[in-house]
């Protein structure tokens, strides 16, 4: 019988995975709920500020996760999936990292181009570019399109995990669940 470490991700990887899910839900929720409040209201502004700060937290943690993933071995899926599924899983993982790094950068660029402050838990981060209202518009469009793609990726990822668990009955999901097998 294989040791737990060989059939599951490490505790740090598992913890970061699920924490990132909660963080991403919070990022999306802040932006969605902010539109429920009138423009200029304190609540709307506070939710947007939380959206910015949590989004930048995703950026920081994505780099940490990437370093951990590159420095550790991925536990094998048993039974092994077809090569095309492996390839698709890698493609989705790359897309997630592009979004987890790219969306916060696009948000930071948008705020910079609008000439707005970039808050991060009591700090004011520097602008990444000079104020440019024209650029702010198209960068924001890219940010919003990427965020919409994020819904699709999250749904695809969750559906694939459940498909593997309940239909294929392999260990794909169990490798990332907290606790013991």
């Amino acid at each position: 019988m294989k040791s737990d470490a060989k059939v599951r991700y490490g505790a740090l990887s598992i913890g970061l995975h699920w924490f990132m899910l909660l963080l991403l839900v919070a990022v999306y929720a802040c932006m969605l709920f902010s539109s429920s409040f009138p423009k200029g209201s304190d609540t709307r502004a506070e939710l947007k500020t939380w959206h910015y700060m949590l989004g930048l937290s995703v950026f920081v943690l994505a780099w940490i996760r990437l370093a951990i993933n590159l420095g550790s071995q991925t536990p094998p899926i048993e039974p092994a999936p077809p090569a095309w599924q492996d390839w698709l899983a890698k493609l989705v993982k790359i897309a997630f990292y592009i979004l987890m790094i790219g969306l916060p950068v696009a948000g930071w660029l948008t705020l910079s181009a609008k000439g707005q402050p970039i808050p991060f838990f009591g700090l004011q981060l520097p602008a990444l570019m000079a104020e440019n209202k024209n650029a702010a518009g198209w960068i924001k469009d890219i940010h919003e399109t990427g965020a919409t793609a994020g819904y699709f990726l999250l749904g695809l990822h969750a559906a694939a995990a459940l498909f593997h668990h309940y239909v294929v009955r392999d260990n794909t999901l169990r490798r990332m669940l907290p606790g013991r097998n």
Side-chain angles (χ1 to χ4, degrees), residues 4 13-14 25 69 82 85 129-130 144 176:
D4 202 36
S13 290
I14 292 171
V25 168
N69 285 340
Q85 283 183 10
M129 63 183 291
E144 290 174 352
M176 190 52 84

Side-chain angles (χ1 to χ4, degrees), residues 48-98:
K48 283 186 167 190
T49 297
W50 277 102
H51 173 78
Y52 307 147
M53 294 187 304
L54 295 174
L56 288 167
S57 298
V58 167
F59 175 78
V60 170
L61 291 174
W63 286 106
I64 293 169
R65 282 191 70 190
L66 188 58
I68 290 168
N69 285 340
L70 292 174
S72 61
Q73 190 172 11
T74 301
I77 297 174
E78 295 174 352
W84 70 268
Q85 283 183 10
D86 262 346
W87 179 83
L88 186 58
K90 286 179 177 133
L91 190 63
V92 169
K93 192 173 197 175
I94 290 167
F96 262 124
Y97 278 102
I98 289 170

Side-chain angles (χ1 to χ4, degrees), residues 28-37 44 47:
Y28 276 95
C30 285
M31 210 57 223
L32 288 172
F33 292 139
S34 73
S35 64
S36 301
F37 296 93
R44 184 181 181 112
L47 284 168

Side-chain angles (χ1 to χ4, degrees), residues 3-168:
S3 74
D4 202 36
K6 291 192 182 357
V7 296
R8 293 170 41 85
Y9 285 93
L12 184 57
S13 290
I14 292 171
L16 277 172
H17 177 270
W18 294 104
F19 181 69
M20 290 289 283
L21 171 63
L22 295 174
L23 197 55
L24 288 168
V25 168
V27 168
Y28 276 95
C30 285
M31 210 57 223
L32 288 172
F33 292 139
S34 73
S35 64
S36 301
F37 296 93
K39 288 185 179 187
S41 71
D42 289 344
T43 304
R44 184 181 181 112
E46 190 69 25
L47 284 168
K48 283 186 167 190
T49 297
W50 277 102
H51 173 78
Y52 307 147
M53 294 187 304
L54 295 174
L56 288 167
S57 298
V58 167
F59 175 78
V60 170
L61 291 174
W63 286 106
I64 293 169
R65 282 191 70 190
L66 188 58
I68 290 168
N69 285 340
L70 292 174
S72 61
Q73 190 172 11
T74 301
I77 297 174
E78 295 174 352
W84 70 268
Q85 283 183 10
D86 262 346
W87 179 83
L88 186 58
K90 286 179 177 133
L91 190 63
V92 169
K93 192 173 197 175
I94 290 167
F96 262 124
Y97 278 102
I98 289 170
L99 287 178
M100 290 187 300
I101 292 168
L103 286 179
V105 169
W108 192 345
L109 284 167
T110 299
L111 290 176
S112 299
K114 287 182 176 181
Q116 294 180 354
I118 298 93
F120 189 67
F121 299 103
L123 302 173
Q124 291 297 321
L125 300 180
L128 295 179
M129 63 183 291
E131 189 172 334
N132 181 333
K133 301 291 184 188
N134 184 44
W138 62 263
I139 296 168
K140 182 179 179 189
D141 289 344
I142 291 169
H143 180 76
E144 290 174 352
T145 300
T148 301
Y151 283 119
F152 173 76
L153 276 178
L154 285 167
L156 178 66
H157 183 63
L162 294 173
F163 174 78
H164 277 274
H165 189 71
Y166 291 108
V167 177
V168 179

